[in-house]
Amino acid sequence: MRETLLTPSQLVLPLFVRPGSRVRIPVESMPGVAQTSVDEMLSDAREAAELGVAGVLLFGIPDRKDATGSEAWNDKGPVQEAVRALKRELPELVVITDVCLCEYTDHGHCGVIRGNDVDNDATLELLAREAVSHATAGADIVAPSDMMDGRVLAIRSALDMQGFKDTPILSYAAKFAGPFYGPFRDAAESTPQFGDRRSYQMDAANGEEAVREVLLDVAEGADMVMVKPAGPFLDVIHRVRAATTLPLAAYQVSGEFSMIVAAAERGWIDRERAMMDSLLGIRRAGADIIITYFAREAARTIRAGSF
Ligand code: PBG
């Protein structure tokens, strides 16, 4: 009589890639998560693939950051190298790349800065360049997470013009500003050096606006949309599910992961059951795809038939 099913094929594992080889640097605020070089990343991805996890979402941590984040479209950058290695070694695993500048800019914002603010329109061209570079390396899906207005259209146009008309865009369409990205910013070394992201990410109070944001991205050509974070925004997932028939992803972000892990480490909560209930809740709300740092662990639990 179970209404909601959770399978490994609905899960996507985020991975953080750095230059070099045999590098594995644990992220302190996300136990079990690490920044790795491409070779080490491959073994994590292989494990995920063997467990039936659908795909991986790649974030790059470059050696060099600058004001425009120019390493983001370096064809020899860590993400581009990782995509090529994954498509060569594990061709069945879906490779999604996060398209954003915050890991690549020295100020840590998701776009170029003019005065004290992000310059929305000047950022679009750079994001498009980054997306084309990922598609050229062989990315199956590009996923812009910057929340600039108009970026889906800009990326779609650039991809089409460069011969990537079949590369889909998974848009981080309703992405809320807030504290739940804290551990990720340790992992991706992307904490803003001044100010915050509230001029481009959404206000946690706004559910109707989230639907508007999603519909704008759909109109610009998004092929899939995402709500993020997931757990505190289950109502938004539900509303978006009703507003579009596109595939819907939800991102169980770093803070959601680390809260469960930290409470379990203290013996205050049952890790496996809290993980599974959090993921089932996201599915029940209406998400088709869940991006989660628990992807491998949850896949193991599902396959063991133990929930
Ligand atoms: C980049 C980006 C962020 C996350 C995904 N892409 C961080 C942010 O917006 O600050 C967060 C993921 C997580 O917390 O797990 N813009």
Side-chain angles (χ1 to χ4, degrees):
M1 300 305 288
R2 194 157 240 219
E3 296 171 20
T4 307
L5 296 179
L6 183 63
T7 66
S9 64
Q10 294 157 339
L11 304 177
V12 170
L13 176 69
L15 293 170
F16 300 96
V17 199
R18 319 184 52 108
S21 65
R22 310 197 65 143
V23 178
R24 183 173 288 271
I25 305 171
V27 179
E28 213 180 309
S29 53
M30 302 178 72
V33 176
Q35 303 176 346
T36 65
S37 50
V38 170
D39 50 342
E40 292 283 325
M41 179 280 302
L42 274 177
S43 68
D44 291 352
R46 182 168 289 115
E47 189 188 12
E50 284 168 1
L51 287 163
V53 169
V56 293
L57 172 62
L58 299 179
F59 294 92
I61 302 148
D63 271 342
R64 203 174 52 78
K65 303 189 188 222
D66 60 23
T68 58
S70 60
E71 279 297 297
W73 53 87
N74 177 352
D75 289 332
K76 297 204 159 51
V79 166
Q80 289 82 349
E81 298 285 10
V83 171
R84 280 190 287 270
L86 283 165
K87 291 324 297 179
R88 188 176 63 235
E89 303 287 332
L90 302 165
E92 298 301 315
L93 189 68
V94 177
V95 177
I96 310 171
T97 57
D98 185 90
V99 175
C100 195
L101 297 181
C102 64
E103 301 107 81
Y104 302 93
T105 52
D106 49 17
H107 45 73
H109 276 286
C110 303
V112 286
I113 298 293
R114 197 171 48 191
N116 270 327
D117 235 327
V118 169
D119 185 339
N120 187 97
D121 292 4
T123 302
L124 299 182
E125 186 201 332
L126 307 183
L127 293 167
R129 234 190 267 183
E130 180 180 7
V132 167
S133 169
H134 292 173
T136 304
D140 295 307
I141 300 173
V142 294
S145 69
D146 53 286
M147 283 297 275
M148 298 303 131
D149 292 331
R151 93 281 202 198
V152 173
L153 182 60
I155 290 171
R156 182 74 273 154
S157 313
L159 288 173
D160 287 356
M161 231 140 54
Q162 303 295 321
F164 299 105
K165 65 180 174 54
D166 292 329
T167 303
I169 298 175
L170 163 58
S171 163
Y172 287 66
K175 175 172 177 181
F176 291 88
F180 291 104
Y181 309 139
F184 171 94
R185 292 179 189 169
D186 291 344
E189 301 175 8
S190 64
T191 305
Q193 298 304 299
F194 63 90
D196 55 43
R197 303 208 203 290
R198 283 186 298 176
S199 71
Y200 42 103
Q201 298 183 357
M202 293 190 53
D203 180 343
N206 289 7
E208 303 293 353
E209 187 189 13
V211 174
R212 280 204 302 281
E213 286 278 3
V214 167
L215 294 179
L216 281 170
D217 284 6
V218 173
E220 288 180 29
D223 299 278
M224 312 172 194
V225 290
M226 190 196 301
V227 174
K228 171 183 175 191
F233 297 95
L234 294 179
D235 62 311
V236 174
I237 295 174
H238 198 64
R239 286 193 218 196
V240 170
R241 175 69 297 161
T244 172
T245 55
L246 287 183
L248 173 57
Y251 198 145
Q252 181 180 51
V253 301
S254 55
E256 299 175 73
F257 168 82
S258 295
M259 285 193 301
I260 293 174
V261 171
E265 280 183 354
R266 290 188 164 207
W268 289 352
I269 202 168
D270 180 318
R271 176 175 175 133
E272 184 173 64
R273 288 170 55 201
M275 166 183 78
M276 292 310 287
D277 274 13
S278 67
L279 296 172
L280 261 182
I282 296 165
R283 283 275 301 135
R284 195 186 60 246
D288 302 303
I289 303 158
I290 306 176
I291 300 166
T292 173
Y293 302 96
F294 284 125
R296 281 174 295 180
E297 190 175 338
R300 258 183 242 113
T301 298
I302 294 166
R303 291 167 72 100
S306 56
F307 81 103

